[in-house]
């Protein structure tokens, strides 16, 4: 059986940068998967994801988190982006791995759903999030931005397309 994950694009930062953009995303797949192996110079940062340049109050998300000793949840609605919380260790070059699934991204009759997992190294725990972009447009561009700090040089961002089996 052929592989259903197809690499669309990879961006490995040659120097520190505040954001990464994937544009001209084809509608040839059913879903997208974004995998980020990133570092930053801080222990706590928010990574914002905007699609199709939309910075309006069209995003919502629910976060479930756990550290091994603490667990909880948080809900946001009317947000201007889909935000992932990063808890890393700046002494570890790449201490954060994030995976975001964009379901039904090319369907033009439904709102878009995101699922994400941020696996924070060391003792910082894990965040799982579900998000919604209240728009029926197909996703054709994705911007990943570190809200306050830069992503470290060498951080890698890969976008995959998933074809229906």
């Amino acid at each position: 059986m052929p592989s259903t994950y197809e690499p669309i694009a990879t961006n490995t930062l040659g120097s520190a940068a505040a954001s990464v953009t994937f544009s001209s995303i084809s509608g040839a797949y059913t879903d997208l998967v974004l995998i980020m192996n990133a570092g930053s110079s801080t222990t706590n940062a928010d990574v914002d994801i905007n699609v199709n340049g939309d910075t309006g109050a069209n995003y919502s998300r629910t976060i479930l988190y756990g550290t091994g000793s603490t667990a909880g949840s948080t809900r946001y609605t009317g947000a201007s982006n889909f935000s992932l919380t990063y808890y890393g260790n700046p002494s570890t070059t790449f201490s954060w791995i994030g995976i975001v699934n964009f379901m039904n991204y090319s369907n033009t009759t439904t709102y878009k759903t995101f699922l994400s997992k941020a696996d924070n190294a060391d003792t910082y725990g894990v965040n799982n999030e579900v998000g919604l972009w209240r728009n029926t447009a197909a996703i054709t561009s994705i911007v990943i931005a570190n809200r306050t700090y830069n992503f470290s040089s060498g951080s890698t961002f890969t976008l995959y397309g998933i074809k229906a089996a």
Side-chain angles (χ1 to χ4, degrees), residues 30-159:
T30 58
D31 303 306
L32 298 173
V33 177
L34 173 64
I35 298 178
M36 302 168 279
N37 185 3
S40 185
S41 60
T42 183
T43 58
N44 184 355
D46 288 310
V47 176
D48 298 332
I49 296 177
N50 289 89
V51 295
N52 294 4
D54 184 359
T55 58
N58 298 312
Y59 301 83
S60 58
R61 67 185 173 128
T62 300
I63 307 165
L64 303 174
Y65 58 88
T67 64
S69 60
T70 304
S73 67
T74 305
R75 169 110 176 102
Y76 299 93
T77 190
S80 62
N81 55 51
F82 180 64
S83 181
L84 306 173
T85 302
Y86 158 79
Y87 298 100
N89 180 349
S91 65
T92 305
T93 306
F94 300 101
S95 58
W96 182 71
I97 297 172
I99 301 170
V100 182
N101 294 16
F102 299 86
M103 271 67 77
N104 247 353
Y105 81 100
S106 60
N107 185 320
T108 58
T109 62
T110 61
Y111 289 168
K112 306 307 175 279
T113 304
F114 311 145
L115 292 176
S116 73
K117 178 184 177 192
D119 186 3
N120 304 294
D122 303 320
T123 60
Y124 294 101
V126 174
N127 290 348
N128 289 290
E129 304 184 22
V130 61
L132 181 70
W133 179 47
R134 289 180 302 281
N135 195 308
T136 59
I139 295 174
T140 58
S141 68
I142 300 170
V143 175
I144 306 106
N146 194 327
R147 189 180 305 167
T148 311
Y149 303 93
N150 285 338
F151 293 113
S152 301
S153 174
S155 293
T156 302
F157 303 80
T158 303
L159 185 65

